[in-house]
Amino acid sequence: RLARLGRSGAEHINDVLNTIFEGLIDEVFGVGGDVLEFGGDAMVVLYDGVDHERRAAIAAARMFDFMARDGLIQTPLGGVRLRMSCGMASGTQAYHLIGVLRRALMVTGPVSTEMARLEALANAGEALINDELAAALPASWVTTSKGGAAKLRMGRVATGYPTVPPSRCPADDGDIKRLLPTQFHSLVDAQHRAGELKQVAMAFIRLNGTDDMLVADGVDRLHQRI
């Protein structure tokens, strides 16, 4: 509906996305997580290391609190309530850094497959979790959804975890440039730049069978084929 307003509507959508994602990402970083990739209105988040299961659950609960508190957005066309769903899975898998001129991180494997499956099943307001994650959390934090999957009991998750400073390696401009399309290399600097809105075409490519390929051929062969 906002797109029908033309440029002003697109600018408002941009402002809304920036506000919502900034709030959500702050909650991710607050307990030591990181954002691996974005896809439309979704993001993939990673927690690893000590107590990662509990920290992931706490971050999810905090993100849902944020959406309940700040997800009512006023637009030129009236108020809109934004909501969120979440799929969460714990386990071990490889992450693939691929490409030559441009490097890209590809998240693929049985854990992320399960995460995506649970997210697709989750209704707005739900965080569905796999059995391994459920077993690692306090029993009072977990219940069962109508579809039979385990899910977080948001009201029971203790969200008072101490803030964890982000542990990220410093990167110079050369490192950053390799993660961007070559056309954008000249835009890399230490200052924030204002976004410029342009019409673009975007496509998502779905790769099927990677989990079976991993079992049959191993992680190195899967990496080569990707």
Side-chain angles (χ1 to χ4, degrees), residues 48-82:
D48 62 355
V50 176
D51 212 17
H52 65 271
E53 299 96 343
R54 186 181 295 255
R55 290 188 287 114
I58 290 169
R62 289 181 179 180
M63 292 163 77
F64 277 96
D65 285 345
F66 170 81
M67 292 300 292
R69 184 178 65 251
D70 296 324
L72 180 59
I73 303 298
Q74 295 301 321
T75 80
L77 298 175
V80 177
R81 165 61 70 184
L82 300 180

Side-chain angles (χ1 to χ4, degrees), residues 90-185:
S90 181
T92 301
Q93 71 174 17
Y95 295 84
H96 303 273
L97 189 62
I98 60 173
V100 179
L101 293 178
R102 178 192 175 188
R103 304 287 272 168
L105 181 70
M106 178 167 286
V107 181
T108 183
V111 178
S112 55
T113 297
E114 182 68 358
M115 174 199 69
R117 185 187 72 83
L118 291 168
E119 193 282 326
L121 291 175
N123 295 315
E126 284 187 331
L128 300 186
I129 63 179
N130 75 337
D131 292 340
E132 186 169 340
L133 179 55
L137 296 174
S140 62
W141 293 16
V142 179
T143 186
T144 303
S145 71
K146 291 181 179 178
K151 74 173 182 177
L152 285 183
R153 301 176 70 181
M154 296 300 176
R156 297 294 184 91
V157 176
T159 57
Y161 202 91
T163 299
V164 177
S167 58
R168 280 183 287 283
C169 299
D172 60 31
D173 283 357
D175 294 328
I176 296 171
K177 285 179 180 179
R178 296 195 71 193
L179 297 172
L180 295 173
T182 55
Q183 300 94 321
F184 296 164
H185 286 186

